[in-house]
Amino acid sequence: MPPAEPEEESIAALFARLIDHAERFVRAELKLYRATLFDRLTGARTAVISLLTAFLLAQSAIIALLVGLIVILRQPLGAVGATATVVGSALVVAAVLVQFALVKLRKATEIEDKK
């Protein structure tokens, strides 16, 4: 008895199988990218929490410094004078930093004309 010849599939059936395999491949790739994304987000979450904690600690240190300056300057300037001096100085520093940031932001977002 001769071996049975495999049935030849039609071109439509082959394309249907190709589309099915391509769909499964795309779904598997999407699952891989999703898993990679969530893995990276987990690592990024830890980094963001660490940066936020560092920012809050630095902010607390700056507040403690400003309060300390008020306490130190209270003797020669009085309570109101020391407070006004420290707050005024802090506002001047903040204004300079805002100006610096705005200049950098304008440069970063500037659209250059091609000539």
Side-chain angles (χ1 to χ4, degrees):
M1 180 173 237
E5 299 224 3
E7 293 182 23
E8 288 192 31
E9 294 185 59
S10 69
I11 291 181
L14 288 173
F15 273 113
R17 250 184 28 193
L18 175 66
I19 291 171
D20 183 51
H21 288 306
E23 183 181 348
R24 280 195 245 157
F25 174 75
V26 168
R27 288 183 190 274
E29 283 291 315
L30 287 174
K31 285 181 183 179
L32 174 65
Y33 289 134
R34 184 175 180 210
T36 303
L37 173 69
F38 283 122
D39 182 51
R40 289 182 180 174
L41 285 177
T42 301
R45 182 183 65 184
T46 304
V48 168
I49 290 171
S50 297
L51 285 172
L52 184 60
T53 303
F55 173 76
L56 292 174
L57 285 172
Q59 186 179 15
S60 298
I62 290 171
I63 290 170
L65 174 69
L66 294 175
V67 170
L69 285 173
I70 291 173
V71 169
I72 291 169
L73 294 175
R74 190 180 62 172
Q75 290 285 357
L77 302 177
V80 175
T83 302
T85 301
V86 171
V87 169
S89 300
L91 289 176
V92 167
V93 170
V96 168
L97 288 173
V98 166
Q99 285 296 102
F100 176 74
L102 288 176
V103 167
K104 290 290 185 181
L105 189 60
R106 280 190 200 111
K107 281 186 179 181
T109 58
E110 188 175 86
I111 298 174
E112 295 180 17
D113 292 331
K114 291 184 179 179
K115 293 182 180 183

